[in-house]
Amino acid sequence: MTEITSLIPIDQYNNLAIQTVAVDSADPRIVYTAGGRSVYKTDASVKRSLNSGETWEIITPNNRTNKGVDSGDGANEVFAIRVNPKTSDLWAAGGCYGVWKAITVK
């Protein structure tokens, strides 16, 4: 096993929370991780790697990492993520922020 935690992006307060990990069974290079801080609303709850964990991007909608595009605010404090093995769609459950779905574009 290789420890890759230091490669995963931090949130707006320089913290990292990881509570769940999911791998896309249709493409095992795609890995998701998520977690909440439970003390404040992290803007980096859901992260994705397209290359087996070598690099990561924050995919939680927020106003810090979306390059100025107003993409809303949500999927925060995620404690469970699952990838549909047939469609590769990502499902995320986020405490008081509800259930979110990311449709994979192929």
Side-chain angles (χ1 to χ4, degrees), residues 19-82:
Q19 294 171 301
T20 184
V21 176
V23 178
D24 185 341
S25 61
D27 185 351
R29 295 172 301 164
I30 301 175
V31 182
Y32 298 92
T33 185
R37 292 301 300 166
S38 300
V39 178
Y40 59 86
K41 183 177 79 171
T42 176
D43 69 357
S45 189
V46 184
K47 285 78 67 177
R48 173 179 59 199
S49 173
L50 300 175
N51 54 15
S52 302
E54 291 180 26
T55 60
W56 294 83
E57 62 181 329
I58 296 168
I59 62 171
T60 303
N62 68 71
N63 294 323
R64 179 177 66 100
T65 63
N66 62 2
K67 299 179 175 70
V69 176
D70 185 8
S71 60
D73 184 25
N76 296 290
E77 305 308 305
V78 171
F79 60 86
I81 51 176
R82 302 292 184 270

